Amino acid sequence: MKIFCGRANPTTGSMEWLEEGEDYDYHQEIARSRYADMLHDKDRNVKYYQGIRAAVSRVKERGEKAIVLDIGTGTGLLSMMAASAGADFCYAIEVFKPMANAAVKIVEKNGFSDKIKVINKHSTEVTVGPDGDMQCRANILVTELFDTELIGEGALPTYEHAHKYLVQEGCEAVPHRATVYVQLVESRRMWSWKKLFPVHVEAEDGEKILFPPSEMENCPGVPSVCDIQLNQMPSSDFSTLSDVVTMFSVDFSKPVQSASTYYRVQLEPVKSGKAQIVLSWWDIDMDPSGMINCTMAPYWVKPTSALQWRDHWMQCVYFLPREEPVLQGEKLYLTASRDEYSVWYNLQKAREGENKADEEEHKADVCVESPVCRCRAHLLWNRPRFGELNDQNRTLQYIKSLRKVLKTDSVCLCISDGSLLPVLAHYLGAKQVFTLENSGVSCSVMEKFFKANHLEDKIKIIEARPELLKPSHLEDKKISVLVGEPFFTTSLLPWHNLYFWYARTAVSSHLASNVTVLPQSASLHMMIVEFQDLWRIRSPCGTCEGFDVQTMDDMIKDSLNFRESKEAEPHPLWEYPCKSLSDPQEVLTFDFTKAVPQHCLSTEGSVKLLRKGKSHGAVLWMEYHLAADISVSTGLMQLPNEKGNCEWNPHCKQAVYFFSSVIESEILSDPTAVTYAINFDTKTGEIAMDFKLL
């Protein structure tokens, strides 16, 4: 069966209908899944195995049969661990059909078909009884249903249901408990991901300051968790205001409640500062005694232990609703509220001479509603985008460039989503400024923004697609300066922002013959790298704790090769250290002063490898040439040092193209160069690439 999938092309902006096979979604999900990452997580696997062996032993010592329920079995790994530890029977539940099929094959290949039954259902639909999916209730509950936030994948309702209907009272659970830890910090860098700071502009008539609307200032933001590799956040970028405290824990061996609730702890700041951020992570005890522990604690908490790298569980950054100045030693209450799937935090000061009764009164103040963005800016700009808009150095490059091109009679049109460029253009002396906004959300955010700075009659917002722009929108004027960052909310890969070029082409008839376009051009850059750890997410596992999981490797490989050509994938490389093996190379240029050409742009060549290392892949990014000698990079911020260490733009995702040697796990003799062929199809706006290691 074929399915027609409609999608807006992020580069050309056109709507496309693509005919897809019915398993297209499966392939997408598998190819981009984190299964490989979990199978490579040695610490997790060893601890699960130890916990499962111990649980099976405890049940056997009581003279009972060990019946295991494994919810979300994935590859069947945990069930196979249980069977080899002596469990009498395992029920392995997996809702995702391709995965359940793979689990059946893996279980069979490892010789456990008589001990493990794979059930392709949601656990809440599993039946128990003589004619049911399970003959009887299980007495060992094994699951791995956790995400970085612990509960974001629905662990709580799943456990709640399992205890009611699928497992015996007093069952063993692996993991036995999870504990969530928090630490209060001040961090201008992380706070800049939540709110817009005032922007300073040196104009002809003195300094102008752009302020965000008060509605944006007081907005709690969006409830979705901000999960990052906190181990890549240098200690100079935050200041800890409290010790690490235990916020709450969940005992999985007893009935679990998923209903909304809250937890509160008392804190005393270890130093004075501005409380802005709650950093959080969890650990799991695989056994009741807590001897088998798997932790997500960041580097400064357990500096002596070796950190296990993993990408499926990271650490959380929560933004307090408001910045709170706190004093060393004063009494504070931190409240964690949660619903079934998410957690949010509030900080309150204890009142003078407070007693138990006052504390009860405090409880009434607890915000049990999940935070909702009312200013709409948090719907328009994601967190890296807030960081980008707050990057004063970046803003300065645009100010310098605009100064060079604007004249007192300039009629300026800005094409970017929710950008500050129209305001900069106005302050720097453009006669008239129009901004083209692609969505109702960006229109309403920009409207509030202009109003807050008394610019509503100075900058005209046009809500229209570029190809539908009419002379009347522009009051019958020709545009003398066309500007863009460019930034579009629909962009996933660096070159998707080339939509600016397509928009520029669509509005050609409205441009003056001597129009200045800023940026004047863009270029695509590339560098060959060795990743410290990121390669693991695409690397086959072969065997995991002695079990053959090659079926899973093959399945991921098939999905990655499902499209004839492999694709690059977006990753924020500031979180994933790598070493450059080649010099960065400019591979394609795009001239914005002219319309998009009809013919394809293509290039081929080779790059020399300068350093020894494993060539895991190529990193690609865009650079925008704003004016004669001013450029902004969405990738490398400066040339790598002599060791090959790289500093990446922290506000953007770079494109990573993993070489097939990673996916096939081939051992290569030291390559000396990499050849590349890169083709930009101007009709589809897509970039196809191919690399060979020599």
Side-chain angles (χ1 to χ4, degrees), residues 494-524:
W495 47 87
H496 289 164
N497 283 322
L498 284 173
Y499 174 64
F500 176 73
W501 201 14
Y502 289 83
R504 176 254 176 263
T505 305
V507 301
S508 289
S509 64
H510 302 284
L511 306 178
S513 55
N514 61 345
V515 66
T516 302
V517 183
L518 183 158
Q520 54 198 22
S521 65
S523 48
L524 178 67

Side-chain angles (χ1 to χ4, degrees), residues 138-156:
N139 53 9
I140 301 177
L141 175 55
V142 177
T143 68
E144 204 279 60
L145 299 166
F146 314 114
D147 65 346
T148 297
E149 197 170 24
L150 189 70
I151 64 171
E153 285 177 11
L156 296 177

Side-chain angles (χ1 to χ4, degrees), residues 413-635:
L413 172 65
C414 173
I415 304 182
S416 272
D417 291 349
S419 172
L420 305 183
L421 289 184
V423 182
L424 300 183
H426 169 72
Y427 281 151
L428 295 169
K431 182 178 176 188
Q432 201 164 6
V433 182
F434 299 95
T435 179
L436 200 57
E437 298 293 340
N438 238 338
S439 70
V441 174
S442 67
C443 284
S444 86
V445 171
M446 296 321 285
E447 209 167 283
K448 288 174 193 166
F449 195 82
F450 297 158
K451 224 182 203 128
N453 292 281
H454 310 296
L455 299 170
E456 62 269 41
D457 52 348
K458 306 277 195 291
I459 300 168
K460 184 177 170 193
I461 300 172
I462 303 166
E463 187 182 355
R465 296 184 54 78
E467 62 275 18
L468 302 176
L469 190 64
K470 300 189 191 75
S472 58
H473 284 130
L474 301 170
E475 298 164 15
D476 294 321
K477 295 194 174 68
K478 290 284 189 208
I479 298 302
S480 59
V481 180
L482 177 67
V483 299
E485 296 185 33
F487 170 85
F488 301 100
T489 51
T490 47
S491 297
L492 297 169
L493 289 161
W495 47 87
H496 289 164
N497 283 322
L498 284 173
Y499 174 64
F500 176 73
W501 201 14
Y502 289 83
R504 176 254 176 263
T505 305
V507 301
S508 289
S509 64
H510 302 284
L511 306 178
S513 55
N514 61 345
V515 66
T516 302
V517 183
L518 183 158
Q520 54 198 22
S521 65
S523 48
L524 178 67
H525 295 248
M526 172 200 86
M527 188 169 73
I528 311 300
V529 302
E530 171 181 41
F531 285 107
Q532 196 176 299
D533 296 294
L534 187 66
W535 60 273
R536 296 172 203 275
I537 67 169
R538 295 288 167 259
S539 170
C541 198
T543 60
C544 182
E545 298 311 305
F547 302 101
D548 181 339
V549 292
Q550 202 189 325
T551 306
M552 184 70 221
D553 295 338
D554 295 342
M555 186 167 153
I556 292 174
K557 208 171 1 182
D558 289 349
S559 290
L560 285 170
N561 297 333
F562 174 64
R563 288 264 177 275
E564 288 66 61
S565 69
K566 277 179 46 225
E567 293 172 347
E569 44 188 273
H571 291 285
L573 291 187
W574 75 265
E575 294 183 64
Y576 303 104
C578 63
K579 174 174 101 173
S580 73
L581 301 183
S582 76
D583 280 335
Q585 191 142 330
E586 182 181 294
V587 287
L588 279 178
T589 54
F590 311 93
D591 182 356
F592 296 162
T593 63
K594 301 185 173 70
V596 176
Q598 293 296 304
H599 58 84
C600 290
L601 303 179
S602 53
T603 179
E604 41 191 58
S606 74
V607 279
K608 272 215 298 278
L609 297 181
L610 312 171
R611 292 182 190 86
K612 287 249 182 285
K614 292 196 173 79
S615 299
H616 288 136
V619 177
L620 299 103
W621 67 94
M622 298 292 289
E623 292 190 5
Y624 296 102
H625 310 291
L626 304 181
D629 49 356
I630 304 174
S631 292
V632 291
S633 168
T634 65

Side-chain angles (χ1 to χ4, degrees), residues 25 36 124 178 214 233 269-270 302 304 322 353 373 395 425 449 541 607 619:
D25 267 356
T124 53
S214 59
M233 180 68 68
V270 292
K302 300 217 164 160
T304 50
R322 283 170 305 285
C373 166
T395 302
F449 195 82
C541 198
V607 279
V619 177

Side-chain angles (χ1 to χ4, degrees), residues 109-121:
K109 200 168 175 184
N110 286 277
F112 292 111
S113 294
D114 56 334
K115 293 268 178 148
I116 299 173
K117 178 184 179 185
V118 177
I119 302 167
N120 177 209
K121 279 188 174 182

